[in-house]
Amino acid sequence: MYMLCRQSTKQYSETPRTRAMLTNYHTTHLSSNQCGSSLVQPIDAPLPVVWSLIRRFEKPQGYKRFVKHCSLLAGDGSSTGSVREVTVTSGLPAGVSVERLDKLDDDKHVLKFSIIGGDHRLLNYSSTITLHEEEEVYGGKTVAIESYVVDIPEGSSGEDTCSFANTIIGCNLRSLAKITQDMGFNNKAT
């Protein structure tokens, strides 16, 4: 069984720019034991403000509310191959996640990472996060897209696995929107 679902606000997923980003960076080929999804989040904040949080691989707790602590195990957090150990808040079915930075492109606003260890069931998890602006139609909003592919754990279904991952990613993207919109507002006020 495989599953790929797209969760987005319809109006944003139908813009030519968002469609191009989905095609160029978020198209995945799933094996029979994998599932994945792409989530789209419009953000009323300037792209540089949003990117300033996303690109900080060494500090995911800047917007990810389920992260309690993060420490670098290798690299500087801005170079490919950097590895971080993320301690998640209690109450989640995990304690630690070890993650590798696979790509960080400041020009195209693309970050890719993989989970390479930890005490959770997200095996072979890889994520891509992109940002772009929707100038013409939406007056300068930033659009964040996060997609992932993950193995479906034995004894679980693709729907359950995607539902869990989508819930976490959706919370992270909404948190990113709230924080950066507040930062953008504060920047405009000064």
Side-chain angles (χ1 to χ4, degrees), residues 49-68:
V49 171
V50 181
W51 184 245
S52 72
L53 287 182
I54 292 289
R55 76 166 319 281
R56 301 240 6 235
F57 182 74
E58 77 284 2
K59 193 172 180 188
Q61 67 271 33
Y63 73 96
K64 293 183 176 185
R65 294 297 172 217
F66 299 110
V67 174
K68 184 177 181 179

Side-chain angles (χ1 to χ4, degrees), residues 41-54 109 131-135 138-144 176-189:
Q41 176 70 52
I43 302 172
D44 192 15
L47 189 143
V49 171
V50 181
W51 184 245
S52 72
L53 287 182
I54 292 289
H109 304 104
L131 301 179
H132 68 278
E133 291 178 316
E134 289 288 355
E135 288 286 339
Y138 300 105
K141 288 189 186 279
T142 299
V143 176
L176 175 67
K178 170 81 171 100
I179 290 167
T180 56
Q181 286 169 182
D182 289 349
M183 289 170 65
F185 177 77
N186 291 336
N187 290 342
K188 291 176 189 173

Side-chain angles (χ1 to χ4, degrees), residues 113-124:
F113 74 93
S114 300
I115 295 179
I116 59 172
D119 62 352
H120 50 74
R121 297 180 66 185
L122 297 176
L123 299 177
N124 294 317

Side-chain angles (χ1 to χ4, degrees), residues 16-180:
R17 180 81 169 124
T18 298
R19 272 196 308 269
M21 295 300 283
L22 285 164
T23 299
N24 292 334
Y25 298 103
H26 302 280
T27 301
T28 56
H29 302 285
L30 302 172
S31 68
S32 62
N33 69 328
Q34 292 182 314
C35 66
S37 185
S38 296
L39 288 86
V40 178
Q41 176 70 52
I43 302 172
D44 192 15
L47 189 143
V49 171
V50 181
W51 184 245
S52 72
L53 287 182
I54 292 289
R55 76 166 319 281
R56 301 240 6 235
F57 182 74
E58 77 284 2
K59 193 172 180 188
Q61 67 271 33
Y63 73 96
K64 293 183 176 185
R65 294 297 172 217
F66 299 110
V67 174
K68 184 177 181 179
H69 177 73
C70 177
S71 58
L72 283 176
L73 301 178
D76 61 6
S78 63
S79 58
T80 301
S82 293
V83 176
R84 68 186 179 195
E85 182 177 76
V86 175
T87 305
V88 299
T89 58
S90 63
L92 291 177
V96 173
S97 180
V98 180
E99 303 168 354
R100 180 186 60 233
L101 180 62
D102 297 324
K103 180 177 185 173
L104 180 65
D105 187 326
D106 284 317
D107 295 325
K108 294 181 180 176
H109 304 104
V110 177
L111 183 142
K112 293 183 177 188
F113 74 93
S114 300
I115 295 179
I116 59 172
D119 62 352
H120 50 74
R121 297 180 66 185
L122 297 176
L123 299 177
N124 294 317
Y125 181 97
S126 63
S127 172
T128 301
I129 305 165
T130 61
L131 301 179
H132 68 278
E133 291 178 316
E134 289 288 355
E135 288 286 339
E136 296 172 15
V137 179
Y138 300 105
K141 288 189 186 279
T142 299
V143 176
I145 304 172
E146 184 163 356
S147 63
Y148 66 89
V149 173
V150 66
D151 287 357
I152 300 168
E154 190 173 320
S156 229
S157 69
E159 292 83 8
D160 289 344
T161 304
C162 271
S163 178
F164 172 74
N166 288 348
T167 299
I168 300 296
I169 292 170
C171 288
N172 289 340
L173 290 174
R174 287 188 299 278
S175 175
L176 175 67
K178 170 81 171 100
I179 290 167
T180 56

